[in-house]
Amino acid sequence: MKLNSYLSLTILFLFPSFVFAQVSEDEVVAEVLAFIISRDQEIKEAVLGMEEDPSLREKARSLINDQIDFKEMGMRSLGRFYKEVSTENQEEFIDVFSQIVRAQSLNDLSVYKSPIIIESVSVNGDEASVNTIVEINNSNLNVIYHIHRNEDTWWLYDFVIDDVGTVEGYSVSFQSYVRKRGFEAFMESLHKRLAKLQN
């Protein structure tokens, strides 16, 4: 109990800008909180500093994306079609998909500039969900972070904003496209999309 209390107090002292609702004092919960909070604080510093120092733009992009498990996100988005293609096709898809997400990650930074209220944390084995409230333009948005642990490191694989999930959104468009036109045509469309984002 002393260790759990110490971890929770450490988080509160290191990240005082966060507001905590009732969260159980559990070692894994404290670990999850530390992951979410430290990531958010680092991103906030880079995003807020971008206006004065443009070089922080790429640092912010890296901080936003480097702890996302793009393979997990991609697998869940493509569903059964992921298993139906070759390993080479799987790797190509994850590579292009991750580049697209990275390229778009600085389009809307409002969520990273706003204070966060952590409402609850639920842990189920190596998976966890962090339910938060973000105040943007005098409106409260419910943001849920879905993460999992892989090789002793926590990784994000989905974000749900006001009941609209990132994976769910990709799943609808990706799987519908593959079903109607096939995987090869789907990859061609992803490559074209990436090329436009990079121009």
Side-chain angles (χ1 to χ4, degrees):
M1 178 61 74
K2 290 183 179 180
L3 175 60
N4 294 339
S5 298
Y6 172 76
L7 287 170
S8 298
L9 287 171
T10 300
I11 291 171
L12 286 170
F13 280 117
L14 288 175
F15 310 105
S17 63
F18 273 76
V19 178
F20 292 84
Q22 293 183 353
V23 178
S24 61
E25 293 182 359
D26 175 82
E27 186 174 348
V28 179
V29 170
E31 187 180 300
V32 169
L33 285 171
F35 167 77
I36 292 294
I37 294 170
S38 62
R39 175 181 181 272
D40 185 84
Q41 292 289 85
E42 289 175 350
I43 292 171
K44 271 187 172 61
E45 290 177 8
V47 167
L48 293 174
M50 276 169 39
E51 296 177 1
E52 296 181 4
D53 185 358
S55 67
L56 290 176
R57 185 175 179 83
E58 289 310 311
K59 180 181 180 181
R61 191 191 304 277
S62 293
L63 289 170
I64 289 170
N65 292 284
D66 285 353
Q67 289 179 301
I68 295 177
D69 188 340
F70 287 108
K71 182 176 181 179
E72 186 71 19
M73 182 183 283
M75 287 171 57
R76 289 174 182 254
S77 298
L78 203 54
R80 67 179 178 85
F81 296 109
Y82 182 84
K83 297 179 180 180
E84 294 178 358
V85 299
S86 67
T87 301
E88 183 179 355
N89 288 149
Q90 291 174 351
E91 292 174 352
E92 179 190 11
F93 162 66
I94 297 300
D95 177 57
V96 177
F97 172 64
S98 64
Q99 290 187 64
I100 288 173
V101 175
R102 285 177 179 273
Q104 296 175 324
S105 60
L106 297 182
N107 289 352
D108 184 4
L109 298 174
S110 57
V111 70
Y112 298 111
K113 296 180 179 180
S114 306
I116 291 178
I117 298 173
I118 296 180
E119 288 205 312
S120 63
V121 178
S122 60
V123 178
N124 183 13
D126 286 331
E127 296 200 356
S129 297
V130 182
N131 195 337
T132 71
I133 298 293
V134 181
E135 184 179 337
I136 301 176
N137 298 326
N138 297 319
S139 297
N140 289 334
L141 293 180
N142 179 237
V143 181
I144 302 173
Y145 298 88
H146 291 299
I147 68 176
H148 71 152
R149 182 163 44 195
N150 185 10
E151 297 181 356
D152 296 325
T153 301
W154 288 99
W155 298 86
L156 287 155
Y157 67 84
D158 194 15
F159 309 84
V160 180
I161 301 177
D162 277 356
D163 297 323
V164 179
T166 301
V167 168
E168 181 182 9
Y170 282 129
S171 294
V172 172
S173 59
F174 285 4
Q175 294 184 39
S176 176
Y177 199 109
V178 176
R179 193 178 298 111
K180 292 177 180 178
R181 303 188 59 185
F183 185 79
E184 185 176 341
F186 167 68
M187 285 306 303
E188 287 179 6
S189 70
L190 286 190
H191 278 290
K192 289 179 181 178
R193 184 174 178 182
L194 178 60
K196 288 181 180 180
L197 290 170
Q198 292 177 332
N199 289 335

